[in-house]
């Protein structure tokens, strides 16, 4: 927790503000995905690989029921990118491993490996059968509906994307610490595997001012359970 508290203090100093609003959210344990929409239609889905080069998995992603292929009418921009995590829920993971055991095939070690392996398959029909799901956590593009992360994700939820209700605005170190201690135990009740929390600066202008290092943005920090 000290690491997150340090991050908040560093961020306040860097921005020269007495307080900074953060958004706390769950870090789902799956495979990172980046999906581009043009005129409300899914045009490309790429795994985020090593951060620069990923695999084109558009056809497989189109089989995931919870990912919209065509958005309903709304205030979405003409072109945008939505980032999230492809996951295999616990019940689908257990079902898949039972099948593999029956067929004397090697079992998947965890849902993340299963999600990643499934997404790389050459057979979209088999991908569809396995029951992948997706949760989204970031919007990128020009003309986004809001100047902050939280409201943009609320808009994404209206457009039909799965955005976790766990996401919460936090205004102080105490609120952040309480959020951590609550989810440290409560996460065990969730239907998908998680491996931590993420805290992001809410204001997009502040995100821009903070910038990024070669490896990661300076406006976000991950907390591992």
């Amino acid at each position: 927790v000290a690491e997150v508290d340090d991050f908040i203090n560093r961020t306040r100093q860097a921005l020269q503000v007495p307080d900074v609003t953060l958004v706390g959210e769950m870090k789902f344990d799956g495979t990172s995905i980046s999906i581009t929409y043009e005129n409300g239609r899914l045009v490309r889905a790429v795994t985020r690989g090593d951060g620069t080069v990923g695999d084109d998995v558009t056809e497989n992603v189109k089989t995931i029921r919870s990912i919209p292929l065509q958005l309903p009418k709304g205030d979405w921009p003409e072109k945008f990118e939505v980032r999230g995590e492809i996951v295999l829920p616990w019940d689908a993971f257990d079902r898949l491993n039972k099948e593999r055991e029956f067929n004397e095939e090697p079992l998947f070690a965890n849902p993340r490996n299963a999600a990643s392996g499934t997404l790389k398959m050459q057979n979209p029909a088999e991908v569809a059968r396995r029951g992948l799901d997706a949760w989204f956590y970031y919007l990128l593009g020009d003309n986004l509906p809001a100047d902050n992360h939280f409201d943009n994700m609320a808009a994404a939820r209206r457009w039909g994307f799965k955005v976790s209700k766990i996401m919460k605005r936090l205004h102080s170190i105490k609120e952040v610490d309480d959020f951590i201690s609550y989810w440290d135990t409560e996460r065990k009740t969730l239907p998908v595997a998680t491996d931590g929390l993420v805290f992001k600066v809410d204001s997009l202008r502040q995100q821009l001012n903070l910038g990024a290092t070669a490896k990661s943005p300076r406006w976000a920090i991950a907390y591992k359970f």
Side-chain angles (χ1 to χ4, degrees), residues 3-224:
E3 199 185 332
V4 179
D5 294 352
D6 287 348
F7 163 78
I8 297 169
N9 288 323
R10 268 201 323 276
T11 304
R12 285 173 180 167
Q13 279 169 343
L15 294 168
Q16 298 179 326
V17 292
D19 276 311
V20 62
T21 299
L22 298 181
V23 177
E25 47 198 80
M26 191 58 71
K27 191 170 178 298
F28 294 109
D29 197 11
T31 293
S32 298
I33 194 82
S34 168
I35 307 181
T36 303
Y37 283 78
E38 288 176 14
N39 302 312
R41 200 168 63 84
L42 188 161
V43 291
R44 192 170 60 259
V46 182
T47 63
R48 296 203 38 236
D50 58 6
T52 50
V53 182
D55 300 317
D56 188 317
V57 288
T58 309
E59 292 314 305
N60 284 348
V61 162
K62 282 180 174 176
T63 70
I64 301 172
R65 285 201 195 130
S66 55
I67 297 179
L69 301 180
Q70 177 72 51
L71 303 181
K73 278 196 167 30
D75 56 349
W76 34 264
E78 199 173 312
K79 182 177 178 178
F80 68 91
E81 182 188 331
V82 61
R83 288 185 180 171
E85 204 78 5
I86 303 284
V87 295
L88 191 69
W90 285 116
D91 56 358
F93 172 71
D94 293 340
R95 188 185 70 232
L96 181 59
N97 263 352
K98 278 194 187 113
E99 278 176 22
R100 291 176 80 83
E101 193 174 23
F102 180 78
N103 295 325
E104 296 181 351
E105 294 170 329
L107 302 187
F108 283 114
N110 54 49
R112 183 186 52 219
N113 290 7
S116 167
T118 300
L119 211 51
K120 290 182 182 135
M121 293 176 81
Q122 300 298 313
N123 180 354
E126 177 59 21
V127 176
R129 197 185 68 77
R130 286 196 178 178
L132 291 173
D133 200 358
W135 289 94
F136 292 94
Y137 52 67
Y138 201 66
L139 270 187
L140 283 155
D142 300 324
N143 309 317
L144 293 178
D147 63 359
N148 67 80
H149 172 60
F150 189 86
D151 289 335
N152 279 332
M153 294 320 297
R157 193 185 286 127
R158 285 198 307 276
W159 305 338
F161 294 102
K162 282 184 94 165
V163 175
S164 173
K165 290 273 170 62
I166 290 163
M167 194 175 279
K168 189 179 181 185
R169 272 192 175 120
L170 306 162
H171 306 284
S172 67
I173 285 180
K174 184 186 182 312
E175 285 185 17
V176 169
D177 293 352
D178 289 349
F179 188 81
I180 291 172
S181 61
Y182 178 79
W183 284 110
D184 204 9
T185 51
E186 203 58 30
R187 70 195 163 95
K188 298 180 179 81
T189 64
L190 296 171
V192 290
T194 59
D195 59 354
L197 298 167
V198 178
F199 297 96
K200 296 173 185 164
V201 171
D202 192 26
S203 157
L204 299 190
R205 193 170 64 241
Q206 288 180 340
Q207 287 185 9
L208 209 57
N209 289 343
L210 289 162
T213 64
K215 279 190 169 167
S216 59
R218 286 200 182 92
W219 44 263
I221 188 170
Y223 170 83
K224 289 277 173 135

